[in-house]
Amino acid sequence: MIAAPDPEKMFQVSRAELATFHRDVYKLLVDLELLLGIAKGLGEDNQRSFQALYTANQMVNVCDPAQPETFPMAQDLASRFFGQRGGESQHTIHAMGHCHIDTAWLWPFKETVRKCARSWVTAVQLMERNPEFIFACSQAQQLQWVKNHYPGLHARLQEFACRGQFVPVGGTWVEMDGNLPSGEAMVRQFLQGQNFFLQEFGKMCSQFWLPDTFGYSAQLPQIMRSCGITHFLTQKLSWNLVNSFPHHTFFWEGLDGSRVLVHFPPGDSYGMEGTVEEVLKTVTKNRDKGRTNHSAFLFGFGDGGGGPTQTMVDRLTRLCNTDGLPRVQLSSPARLFSALESDSGQLCTWVGELFLELHNGTYTTHAQIKKGNRECERILHDVELLSSLALARSAQFLYPATQLQDLWRLLLLNQFHDVVTGSCIQLVAEEAMCHYEDIRSHGNTLLSAAAAALCAGEPGPEGLLIVNTLPWKRTEVLALPRSGGAHSLALVTVPSMGYAPAPTSLQPLLPQQPVFVVQETDGSVTLDNGIIRVRLDPTGCLTSLVLVASGRETIAEGAVGNQFVLFDDVPLYWDAWDVMDYHLETRKPVLGQAGTLAVGTEGGVRGSAWFLLQISPNSRLSQEVVLDVGCPYVRFHTEVHWHEAHKFLKVEFPARVRSPQATYEIQFGHLQRPTHCNTSWDWARFEVWAHRWMDLSEHGFGLALLNDCKYGASVRGNVLSLSLLRAPKAPDATADMGRHEFTYALMPHKGSLQDAGVIRAAYSLNFPLLVLPAPGPAPAAAWSAFSVSSPAVVLETVKQAETSPQGRTLVLRLYEAHGSHVDCWLHTSLPVQEAVLCDLLEQRDPAGHLPLRDARLKLTFSPFQVRSLLLVLQPPPNLSP
C-alpha cells in the first residue's frame, strides 16, 4: 500500500459493454443494503433491528426478479420502514461531501492536478443532480492548479460556490504539516490561502480544515483567530497509538490563551461511504454526545481523490430521519459549527499542543528536505527585510512582490503534510529539492539586488556590506573574502536589523579574551574562550563543559557528551512515518578511535578541533568542534556519509541538571514537556519535535541544545538527545542515503534560559550575518533600521504589505518570546508617516492607531502574543538616477 508506483506498469482493456441502468433495481439494492446494515448494526436486543430484518425478508418475498412489475411493492415496504420518524432527542449527523486529495504523496504534484480535475468534475455532476448536496473543498493551491489547467471547471466551481453547494474551507494554501513549519510560514499559509479564497470565491474561510496532518502546534489557535478563523476540524488524533483522545467536540486553548471551537468527526475518518455502520459508529464513538447533539460525517473517497458518489448521497438521503437511527442531514461546515456553538456551554477545554502519538519519525525522515525548509524560511525572511529597507531608502527600488509571492508559494507547497515530513516517494522528494534550489537561487539574486539599492549613491571603490537581519546588535566572528580567493577571520559588530562596512584590517580583540586551544599529551583537546571551557577526549567525545565564571560543570559525572548512538529502527508498518518506543531498547553507542582528534584552527578569534568517526562499515562522520571569541556556545559542524537500512542516528548529551520537564521551541514561543514516564501520556512522548532549541534547566543553571536544521528531539531524565538521521525504505527506498551537513551547538547557562539569551543564540545560529558584495562602495558608517527595547520581544518579520498604496506600506510582525507580560519600545530610523495595528491578514484594527514619539512606538504584549503592525512610510526624496 505504501510502495511507490511502478512507472512501467501497463493495463489492457479486453472488453467494453453497453448496459442499461435499471434505476428501480438500484433503489431496491440500496434499500436492502441499508436494511441489512440496520439489522446488523442495532443488534439482536433492539426491536428496530428485527423490524429491518423482517422488512427485508418481506421485500424478497414479494419481489420477483423476472417480473419488474413486482418491484414497486418491494419499494413501498422499504419506504414504510424508512418513513417511520425518530424522536426529538435524535443525534444529528451533518453529512458533508468531501474529497481529501494529498497534494503529493505516492504520486507527483502533476498527477495531483489531474486528480483534482477528475474528482471535482464528479462533484460538479453530483451538485447538478442533487441540489441539497454540499461539497467542502480545501487547499487553495489545488484550486489554483485547476484554474490554470481547467478554467472551465474552475468557473463551474465558482458558480456552485455562489449557490452555496461548493464550500471552500481551510483558509490555507495547502493542508500543511502542523509541527515543522515556522510560525511565519504558518501565517503565510493563511495569508496566501485566505486572499486566494476571497479573490476567487468572494469570501474568506471561517473553518480551518486539517484532517490528516501529524500533530498540531500550540500556537495554531492564536494564528487561526488572527486570520479570521474560529472553528477547526480534524480527525488525525484518532490514530493515537497509546492514549485515546478524550473529546470529539471541545475548545482548544493555545499557548497565548486564544481559543477555538474544535470538532473531530467521531467516525474517525474523512472518507466515509454513507453506510449504516459508519452512521451508528459516529454516534456511539462520540465522547461528547452528552454535551452536544451534533456530529460531522465526511463522505467521499479520499487521499488519492475520487470524492463522493451518487450511491453515497442516496444512502444518506434515505437515512435522513428514520426511527432507531440518528437524524442525517446533508449539511455544511457552517451549519455544523453553528449547531455546535449553540450547544457549547458545557464543552471542555484542552490547553496546549495536540500531540499525535504516532508518525514521530516524520520529524527526522528525509533530512535534506528538512534542511531545505529551514534554509528557505531564512532566505525569504532575509530577502523581505532587505527589500523593505531598500524600499525605504531608495526611490528607484521596486519591491519584488510578485517574485516573493511565487517563492513563498513554492515553500508553502513543500510544507504539505506528506512532503516536508519526508513521507513521500522519491519522485516527490526530488521535485521538492528542486523547489528549494529555485528559492535559494532566486532568493540570493533578490538579496544582491536589495544590497545594491542600499549602497546606491555611495562614493568610493566597491566594497563588502555585512548585514544583520536579526533585531539585536551582534558581535561575531566572520570569514571575510580577501583578494585571491582567500578568507580571513574577523570579529565584526553589526547593529540590529542593519548593516556595517566590512573591516579593512583585523581588529584587536580587547576587551574580550581570545580563544585558547591546547592539545594534551594523551590526545585530548581543550578549547577555552573565557566564557566556556570545552574538553574533548581523544575520540571526540565531550568529557567536560565548564561555565568559566562559576566553574560549574555541565556534563553529568561519569558520562560523556557528544555521544553518537545508533538504534535499530523497524516500525510496525508506516516505515517513513513511525519510530516505535521499542527502538530505545536497541541503543548502541558509536565508539570512536583514539588518535583521530586533531587541532584545526589554533586560537585567537576562533579555536577548533576535528575528528573522524566510523559509524558502521558503510557510514562515516567527520566533525569540527568550533569555539569563537565571545561566543556563549560551542558549535559542532558535522558531515555524515550515511548508507544504512532501518537505523536511527542520534547524538546525546547527559547533563548535570535535574528537572521533571524540558523546554522546547515551537512557533512564536516555547512549551514544556515531561522528562519522565509517569503516565501513558508522558511515555507516549518518547520522541518529540522542536524547532531551533531545547533546554533542560534547574534553578539557576541549565543546558541548551541548538540546531540549524533538525526537528526530532527528546529529553529523558537528564539526557538531551537530538535526532539526526533515519533510514526508512518505504515509500522511498533512497530516503536519507548519501551526504549530509548540519550544525548543532551546546550552550550552558546560569539563570533561566530567557535571561541567559538562549533564544537569541539559536536565532544567531540559524541566521548568520550576511556578507554581500556591494556593486558600488559600501556605506562608510553602520546603520540600523529597527531595534526593540525588551529582550523578551522578537521582531520576526519585516515585509511590504500585501495591499500597499504606492508600495510604501510595511508590515512588521513581533512576538513575546519569554512567556511574560511586557511593555516595549520599537525604535525605527525609517521615515514613518503612520503606524497602526493589524491582524495577521494585514487588515487594520480600527482602534489600533499607534502614536510615534521620537521615532519610537510603544507596544504591549501578553505571554507569547503575536502582534502585527502596518507602517506607512513617507514618500522618499527624489534621488537622481
Side-chain angles (χ1 to χ4, degrees), residues 37 50 154 211 406 431 558 632 797:
F50 277 87
H154 182 71
D406 291 344
E431 207 168 342
T797 298

Side-chain angles (χ1 to χ4, degrees), residues 480-652:
L480 297 176
R482 300 298 182 195
S483 57
H487 284 77
S488 63
L489 295 176
L491 187 67
V492 298
T493 298
V494 192
S496 66
M497 284 199 168
Y499 57 71
T504 52
S505 59
L506 292 180
Q507 297 160 312
L509 296 180
L510 296 176
Q512 290 176 304
Q513 178 188 313
V515 182
F516 295 109
V517 182
V518 179
Q519 183 151 30
E520 308 291 348
T521 53
D522 66 354
S524 63
V525 171
T526 300
L527 310 172
D528 188 337
N529 68 355
I531 301 171
I532 56 176
R533 185 167 61 247
V534 180
R535 185 181 172 90
L536 302 166
D537 76 9
T539 69
C541 285
L542 185 64
T543 55
S544 175
L545 177 61
V546 173
L547 204 53
V548 173
S550 63
R552 172 73 186 257
E553 175 60 64
T554 306
I555 302 300
E557 193 174 346
V560 294
N562 203 36
Q563 175 67 67
F564 293 95
V565 285
L566 209 55
F567 298 86
D568 294 338
D569 183 17
V570 187
L572 293 174
Y573 181 69
W574 296 97
D575 203 1
W577 290 258
D578 290 346
V579 55
M580 311 306 294
D581 57 340
Y582 53 74
H583 87 284
L584 296 169
E585 300 169 15
T586 67
R587 179 182 178 274
K588 298 178 188 70
V590 181
L591 302 176
Q593 267 193 313
T596 62
L597 185 67
V599 172
T601 308
E602 295 184 346
V605 291
R606 174 172 290 170
S608 72
W610 65 276
F611 64 91
L612 302 172
L613 181 65
Q614 195 69 36
I615 300 170
S616 75
N618 299 318
S619 301
R620 68 185 189 277
L621 173 154
S622 64
Q623 188 173 73
E624 186 180 20
V625 184
V626 180
L627 186 62
D628 282 350
V629 64
C631 187
Y633 53 84
V634 56
R635 302 197 304 279
F636 300 83
H637 296 303
T638 314
E639 180 183 325
V640 183
H641 292 265
W642 181 248
H643 301 281
E644 300 295 326
H646 294 113
K647 297 292 181 185
F648 199 158
L649 181 69
K650 305 184 187 185
V651 64
E652 294 178 348

Side-chain angles (χ1 to χ4, degrees), residues 62-201:
V62 303
C63 178
D64 184 347
Q67 295 182 304
E69 62 271 16
T70 64
F71 297 171
M73 286 186 287
Q75 192 78 63
D76 288 345
L77 287 167
S79 294
R80 275 205 296 276
F81 177 89
F82 288 112
Q84 290 178 306
R85 301 303 179 207
E88 288 184 17
S89 67
Q90 275 176 299
H91 193 86
T92 300
I93 285 177
H94 294 255
M96 293 170 265
H98 182 52
C99 177
H100 178 68
I101 302 178
D102 285 317
T103 300
W105 180 30
L106 304 180
W107 50 85
F109 293 107
K110 64 183 180 183
E111 183 58 34
T112 306
V113 179
R114 295 188 284 268
K115 284 177 178 291
C116 291
R118 293 191 295 263
S119 302
W120 296 348
V121 161
T122 304
V124 164
Q125 292 168 346
L126 283 176
M127 288 185 279
E128 286 172 337
R129 290 199 298 264
N130 306 274
E132 72 287 358
F133 168 67
I134 292 171
F135 183 73
C137 181
S138 66
Q139 306 197 69
Q141 171 69 86
Q142 294 182 4
L143 287 157
Q144 177 73 63
W145 281 335
V146 165
K147 181 184 178 184
N148 293 344
H149 294 273
Y150 306 93
L153 173 58
H154 182 71
R156 294 288 281 143
L157 296 177
Q158 289 176 314
E159 182 186 323
F160 281 103
C162 291
R163 296 185 197 173
Q165 284 185 266
F166 182 81
V167 180
V169 291
T172 52
W173 191 246
V174 296
E175 289 185 8
M176 73 281 194
D177 180 65
N179 301 323
L180 307 185
S182 68
E184 186 60 33
M186 284 189 167
V187 171
R188 300 308 176 91
Q189 287 283 357
F190 286 99
L191 184 63
Q192 292 294 326
Q194 289 284 53
N195 285 344
F196 177 87
F197 289 123
L198 179 63
Q199 180 181 326
E200 297 297 326
F201 296 97

